[in-house]
């Protein structure tokens, strides 16, 4: 009888409740020791188990020098901005559109290597062409960053002339770092910003045309700093409205504009300060273009935050003029695909759309609503998506090249963006590894020192034409996308056995049981079963009361783990799978209760 | 009581700080464990968080806002810890040497596996919202304040997390119990 099964909410609630509710005594003692070790709280020269390092306070003379320098900078900025106030060119009074180039554009990615201790070992900066080939255009060694900002980097943004800005965070502070990729040996400038502890989950910024950069100055993205990369001079941009937490997309002489997760534009008016009528104009380097020069905002309704037009469905597209009533864009010709993201095209009138197709294994389709009323769908890529449930919003636009030739898509679960040439009918390359940082014209990117062009390492099964049906009979099974060797186990667990079965023959035949073991279970066992194929792989053990566990391979996704309790005797494992399914069982032994 | 302890701790009274740890430590650890799903990571996150609390307490202007401020620091520490281990990692659940797999028979082994795998795919930000609301019992407005995003974003993350987890259970049910769909 199936009615004995609790409803999902009850199951999730029970699962959530099942876990420790009391802090271990050892942790309690360590926290107490930490506070005892620091008689001066603000100095914070404390030790910690892994992450917190000492912060050495400046001597009093050093503090005086810092104060004097800051006062000097502030004075210079006040004088400078007052002089600039009357000479702002008229063209900066509109939001700055992306700067087009005669060159083909290349996407830029940043890849961070960690040391075994988790610090930043280095950042590889990579250019990606439309054909998917990659070239190294820089390597930033982690040792070039200040020690206080070497634990975590995010939010990379490349300028059109080859500077890279990124947020660098450490145990005692963080700042925006600026690197001139054209001069690999030049010192890195790191400008500190207020810190609230922890790593900021997001960092957003955009470059202006004059070498200045607007970077989020709080973890909530409600204040920004305009930073001069050459001098490190900082001008604070007043806070955005309290409910705005977004990405800056434009800063004209009167205001900064940012977009929230829900697509709502927020303005922080600068005109209120007569001393600073205009600070910076921005080129949009990352994210979709949601605002055009006349202030019209493009939005995609999200089921969570809702929609500017009442009663519209999730995925509805709206546009709203500066002071006008929002209207819904007709996307009915694109149904049943669902719009998950949108961006204005270069012409400021047409709209690029990312459509989601498929219920459980979602994949993106590129669409375009032309200013002439046309509705076109282009290539698609996939399938991929959440294997155990419907995916919401398969992907988001990470960036669009100034000439519209490339679109970078972020897809949850992939190690980096898909770089999508808009003129291509099908995607040419798999997902790339790294964090999207913007686009560079070829004339700039090709002049940067680095390596030669190479094919990217494959990061996922390459399925250029989407097809949600199971793989065709007779075709070779794709290789697993992750092997157990890449799995990090908790301390105390050690690899004791790996068994790989390469799928052969046709799917759909009888399942075959493969017995593996026995394994000594004296110290606890953990089984990791990954599989790739059209069917499933099932793991059972001969431990009394242990239930079978099934990994639904879903034609390209990786599986999960399975643990069994200690019984004191040897344990046999059995994997049951279709002969066409590729699976790998890895067994770890260790102490489950250290 | 808490506000008085906060004021004393702000002045450097470590005994008062210990009392604060006693008051809130268990809840913080429980939340951190559920966000990170790893005892060691939760240990490090909570230790780092309280270290941060001790250092920054003198700058806290409103002692009555201590709890929200504390949770914000704990959640940030969890983000930090999650990103320190941002290479793909399968979570292996420690199991008791003796006794049943789960303390709560409501959750079958298959369900647990499905939920764990689904939860592992959520971002730390989505997990934090889910745990703060469904485990810590915070109202959504307070969750928004703690994680520092608009209320709409909290709702969106919560909605997504719930769909993913419930979808995992539903899919598991469909496979493990075919008669459910055919009856």
């Amino acid at each position: 009888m199936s009615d004995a099964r609790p409803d999902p909410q009850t199951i999730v609630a029970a699962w959530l409740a099942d876990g420790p509710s009391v802090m271990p005594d050892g942790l309690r003692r360590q926290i107490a020791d930490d506070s005892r070790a620091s008689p001066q709280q603000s100095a914070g020269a404390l030790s910690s188990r892994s992450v917190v390092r000492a912060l050495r306070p400046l001597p009093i003379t050093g503090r005086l020098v810092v104060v004097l320098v800051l006062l000097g900078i502030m004075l210079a900025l006040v004088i400078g901005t007052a002089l600039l106030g009357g000479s702002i060119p008229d063209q900066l009074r509109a939001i700055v559109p992306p700067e087009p180039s005669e060159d083909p554009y290349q996407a830029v990615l940043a890849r961070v290597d960690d040391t075994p201790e988790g610090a930043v070992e280095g950042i590889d900066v990579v250019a990606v062409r439309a054909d998917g080939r990659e070239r190294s255009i820089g390597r930033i060694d982690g040792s070039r960053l200040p020690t206080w900002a070497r634990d975590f980097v995010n939010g990379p943004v490349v300028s059109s002339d080859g500077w890279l800005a990124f947020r660098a965070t450490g145990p005692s502070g963080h700042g925006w770092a600026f690197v001139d990729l054209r001069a690999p040996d030049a010192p890195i400038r790191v400008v500190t910003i207020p810190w609230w502890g922890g790593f900021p989950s997001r960092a957003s910024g955009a470059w202006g045309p004059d070498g200045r950069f607007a970077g989020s100055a709080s973890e909530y993205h409600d204040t920004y700093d305009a930073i001069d990369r050459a001098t490190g001079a900082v001008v604070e941009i007043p806070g955005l409205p309290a409910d705005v937490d977004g990405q800056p997309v434009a800063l004209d002489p009167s205001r900064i504009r940012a977009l929230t997760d829900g697509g709502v534009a927020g303005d922080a008016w600068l005109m209120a300060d007569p001393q600073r009528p205009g600070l910076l104009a921005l080129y949009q380097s990352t994210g979709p273009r949601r605002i055009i020069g006349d202030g019209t905002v493009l939005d995609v309704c999200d089921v969570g935050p809702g929609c500017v037009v009442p009663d519209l469905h999730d995925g509805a597209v709206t546009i709203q003029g500066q002071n006008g009533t929002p209207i819904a864009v007709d996307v009915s010709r694109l149904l049943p695909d669902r719009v998950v993201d949108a961006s204005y095209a270069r012409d400021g009138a047409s709209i690029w759309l990312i459509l989601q197709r498929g219920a459980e294994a979602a994949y993106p389709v590129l669409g375009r609503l032309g200013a002439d009323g046309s509705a076109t769908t282009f290539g698609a890529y996939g399938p991929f998506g959440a294997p155990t449930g419907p995916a919401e919003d398969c992907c988001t636009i990470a960036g669009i090249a100034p000439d519209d030739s490339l679109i970078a898509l972020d897809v949850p679960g992939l190690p980096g963006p898909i770089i999508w040439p808009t003129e291509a009918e099908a995607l040419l390359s798999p997902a790339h590894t790294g964090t999207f940082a913007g686009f560079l014209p070829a004339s700039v990117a090709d002049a940067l020192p680095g390596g030669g062009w190479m094919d990217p390492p494959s990061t996922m099964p390459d399925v250029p034409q989407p097809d949600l049906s199971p793989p065709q009979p007779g075709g070779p099974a794709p290789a697993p996308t992750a092997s157990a060797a890449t799995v990090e186990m908790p301390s105390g667990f050690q690899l004791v056995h790996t068994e790989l079965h390469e799928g052969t023959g046709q799917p759909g035949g009888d399942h075959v049981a493969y017995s593996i073991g026995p394994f000594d279970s004296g110290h606890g066992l953990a089984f990791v079963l990954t599989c790739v194929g059209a069917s499933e792989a099932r793991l059972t053990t001969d431990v009394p009361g242990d239930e079978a566990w099934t990994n639904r391979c879903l034609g390209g996704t990786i599986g999960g783990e399975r643990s069994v309790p200690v019984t004191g005797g040897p344990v046999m494992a059995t994997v049951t799978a279709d002969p066409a399914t590729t699976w790998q069982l890895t067994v770890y032994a260790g102490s489950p209760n250290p | 009581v808490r506000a008085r302890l906060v004021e004393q701790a702000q002045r450097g009274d470590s005994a008062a700080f210990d009392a604060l740890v006693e008051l809130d430590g268990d809840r913080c650890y429980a939340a951190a464990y559920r966000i990170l799903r790893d005892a060691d990571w939760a240990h490090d996150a909570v230790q780092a968080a309280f270290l941060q609390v001790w250092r920054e307490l003198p700058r806290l202007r409103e002692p009555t806002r201590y709890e929200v401020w504390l949770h914000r620091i704990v959640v940030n520490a969890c983000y930090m810890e999650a990103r320190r281990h941002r290479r793909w990692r399968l979570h292996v659940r420690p199991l008791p040497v003796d006794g049943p797999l789960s303390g709560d028979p409501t959750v079958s082994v298959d369900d647990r596996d499905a939920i764990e795998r689904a939860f592992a795919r959520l971002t730390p930000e989505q997990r934090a919202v889910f745990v703060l609301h469904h485990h810590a019992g915070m109202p959504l407005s307070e969750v928004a304040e703690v994680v520092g995003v608009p209320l709409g974003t909290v709702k969106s993350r919560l909605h997504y997390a719930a769909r993913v987890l419930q979808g995992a259970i539903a899919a598991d049910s469909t496979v493990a119990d075919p008669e459910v769909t055919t009856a």
Side-chain angles (χ1 to χ4, degrees):
Chain A
M1 293 287 289
S2 59
D3 58 359
R5 181 180 169 83
D7 63 81
Q9 276 185 315
T10 305
I11 293 172
V12 170
W15 169 79
L16 200 55
D18 187 24
S21 56
V22 177
M23 194 162 59
D25 281 341
L27 175 57
R28 205 180 303 270
R29 282 194 298 273
Q30 278 184 312
I31 292 171
D33 290 346
D34 285 346
S35 63
R36 299 295 184 281
S38 174
Q40 291 188 359
Q41 290 170 319
S42 57
L46 304 177
S47 63
S48 172
R49 190 169 132 168
S50 61
V51 295
V52 181
R53 301 187 190 124
L55 172 67
R56 185 168 38 202
L58 280 172
I60 189 69
T61 50
R63 292 182 207 177
L64 281 173
V65 169
V66 169
V67 169
L68 289 173
V69 168
L70 288 175
L71 284 174
I73 291 172
M74 288 169 62
L75 185 63
L77 286 172
V78 167
I79 295 170
T81 49
L83 290 174
L84 276 172
S87 60
I88 300 250
D90 284 339
Q91 59 267 32
L92 290 189
R93 295 199 176 279
I95 292 170
V96 181
E99 189 178 37
S101 165
E102 296 298 316
D103 305 324
Y105 277 89
Q106 298 171 10
V108 176
L109 311 179
R111 295 174 183 157
V112 182
D113 300 330
D114 290 335
T115 65
E117 293 75 31
V120 175
E121 182 160 12
I123 305 167
D124 284 317
V125 188
V126 177
V128 180
R129 290 195 312 211
D131 63 3
R133 304 198 87 196
E134 297 180 349
R135 188 178 85 89
S136 170
I137 55 172
R139 165 81 181 175
I140 303 163
D141 198 280
S143 62
R144 295 173 63 200
L145 291 169
T147 52
W148 56 264
R150 206 179 288 169
D151 273 1
F152 178 63
V153 298
N154 63 343
V157 189
V158 70
S159 72
S160 58
D161 60 352
W163 281 68
L164 185 72
F166 57 88
R167 181 85 70 85
T169 307
S172 56
H174 66 174
W176 281 103
F178 299 93
V179 179
D180 185 353
L181 296 173
R182 299 165 302 184
D185 298 324
I188 297 175
R189 183 182 299 283
V190 183
V191 178
T192 58
I193 54 179
W195 192 56
W196 291 75
F199 290 154
S201 55
R202 290 184 301 151
S204 58
W207 284 97
D210 60 354
R212 282 188 292 176
F213 179 80
S216 54
S218 81
E219 61 181 317
Y220 309 126
H221 298 234
D222 53 2
T223 59
Y224 286 85
D225 284 342
I227 305 169
D228 188 319
R229 69 188 184 195
T231 65
V234 175
V235 175
E236 294 180 6
I237 300 172
L240 294 166
D243 60 344
V244 170
D245 166 34
Q247 176 185 11
V249 291
L251 184 72
D252 69 15
S254 64
R255 62 204 146 182
I256 185 171
R257 288 181 172 174
L259 292 177
T260 69
D261 284 351
V264 180
D267 292 332
W269 296 88
L270 304 185
M271 289 297 282
D273 183 353
Q275 296 298 317
R276 297 190 300 189
L279 296 173
L280 180 64
L282 299 182
Y283 291 136
Q284 186 176 347
S285 307
T286 58
R289 289 182 213 129
R290 292 290 188 83
I291 299 183
I292 53 176
D294 65 0
T296 301
V297 176
L298 173 69
D299 194 8
V300 178
C301 294
D302 191 335
V303 67
C307 188
V308 295
V309 180
D311 303 324
L312 280 186
H313 60 84
D314 187 29
V317 179
T318 63
I319 55 175
Q320 183 175 21
Q322 183 77 322
N323 297 306
T325 303
I327 58 169
V329 177
D330 179 13
V331 294
S332 59
R333 285 167 294 171
L334 301 170
L335 296 175
D337 298 337
R338 188 169 71 89
V339 176
V340 292
D341 209 348
S343 171
Y344 273 118
R346 167 73 191 150
D347 63 11
S350 304
I351 300 171
W352 289 105
L353 299 166
I354 302 302
L355 310 166
Q356 179 169 317
R357 188 174 293 176
E360 294 201 349
Y363 59 91
V365 176
L366 180 63
R368 180 182 167 103
L369 290 174
D372 57 358
S374 61
T376 314
T377 55
F378 295 80
Y381 185 53
F384 48 77
T388 57
E392 179 175 341
D393 292 1
C394 70
C395 32
T396 53
I397 295 175
I400 181 165
D403 63 354
D404 283 9
S405 60
L406 297 172
I407 291 180
L409 278 190
D410 274 338
V411 181
L414 293 187
I418 294 169
I419 307 300
W420 197 327
T422 52
E423 74 278 9
E425 291 186 358
L427 199 66
L428 300 176
S429 71
H432 296 265
T433 300
T435 303
F436 177 73
F439 295 97
L440 278 178
S443 59
V444 176
D446 290 345
L448 296 173
W453 291 101
M454 296 185 297
D455 288 328
S458 178
T459 51
M460 63 179 292
D462 191 3
V463 189
Q465 296 301 323
D467 184 359
L468 288 181
S469 60
Q472 292 302 307
T481 53
S483 70
T486 66
V487 175
E488 292 180 25
M489 298 299 294
S491 59
F493 277 82
Q494 292 190 339
L495 176 71
V496 295
H497 185 80
T498 298
E499 183 109 356
L500 174 67
H501 173 87
E502 295 278 6
T504 56
Q506 297 187 357
D510 293 336
H511 280 44
V512 178
Y514 306 85
S515 292
I516 307 159
F519 303 105
D520 178 9
S521 64
H523 298 288
L525 292 173
F527 293 93
V528 178
L529 177 62
T530 61
C531 61
V532 176
S535 179
E536 65 184 34
R538 193 173 182 84
L539 173 67
T540 55
T541 70
D542 60 357
V543 175
D546 186 30
E547 299 177 40
W549 180 74
T550 302
N551 184 6
R552 290 168 292 281
C553 312
L554 289 174
T557 58
I558 55 178
E561 96 288 4
R562 176 74 169 93
S563 306
V564 297
V566 172
T567 61
V571 173
M572 285 294 295
T574 302
V575 173
T576 308
D578 183 318
T581 295
T582 293
W583 56 263
Q584 179 167 326
L585 180 71
T586 310
V587 185
Y588 296 86
S591 172
N593 289 319
Chain B
V1 174
R2 183 179 277 109
R4 195 169 65 243
L5 289 172
V6 170
E7 288 171 5
Q8 291 169 349
Q10 283 185 307
R11 293 193 293 269
D13 183 342
S14 57
F17 179 70
D18 288 350
L20 284 173
V21 174
E22 200 64 37
L23 266 179
D24 300 312
D26 290 346
R27 273 188 303 146
C28 291
Y29 180 75
Y33 174 82
R34 282 160 179 82
I35 292 171
L36 296 166
R37 305 304 301 177
D38 184 289
D40 285 342
W41 297 8
H43 183 293
D44 282 349
V46 172
Q47 189 191 359
F50 274 108
L51 189 58
Q52 182 76 17
V53 168
W54 173 247
R55 287 172 48 192
E56 300 294 331
L57 255 179
R59 297 177 205 169
L60 178 64
R61 292 179 188 170
E62 299 178 62
T64 55
R65 305 273 297 152
Y66 171 77
E67 279 186 89
V68 169
W69 181 73
L70 168 66
H71 278 102
R72 180 180 294 179
I73 290 177
V74 169
V75 168
N76 267 336
C78 289
Y79 293 166
M80 173 193 283
E81 202 58 32
R83 283 170 176 76
R84 289 177 62 81
H85 302 271
R86 60 184 177 274
R87 278 172 291 186
W88 189 71
R89 178 189 190 280
L90 284 178
H91 180 78
V92 176
R93 185 177 65 258
L95 292 165
V97 175
D98 299 307
L101 281 170
S102 164
D104 188 336
T106 307
V107 191
S108 71
V109 174
D110 279 355
D111 282 338
R112 180 175 297 278
D113 283 331
I115 299 172
E116 291 281 0
R117 285 193 295 142
F119 199 73
R121 281 196 303 276
L122 298 178
T123 65
E125 290 82 1
Q126 291 163 340
R127 296 183 196 186
V129 165
F130 190 82
V131 168
L132 292 176
H133 183 61
H134 286 296
H135 176 70
M138 285 185 192
L140 292 182
S141 57
E142 194 172 328
V143 174
E145 200 172 0
V146 166
V147 300
V149 298
L151 183 60
T153 306
V154 169
K155 289 179 183 173
S156 175
R157 289 178 184 171
L158 198 62
H159 176 84
Y160 180 76
R163 272 180 61 176
V164 167
L165 295 180
Q166 294 184 4
I169 296 170
D172 190 61
S173 165
T174 306
V175 172
D177 193 10
E179 68 270 22
V180 171
T181 56
T182 56

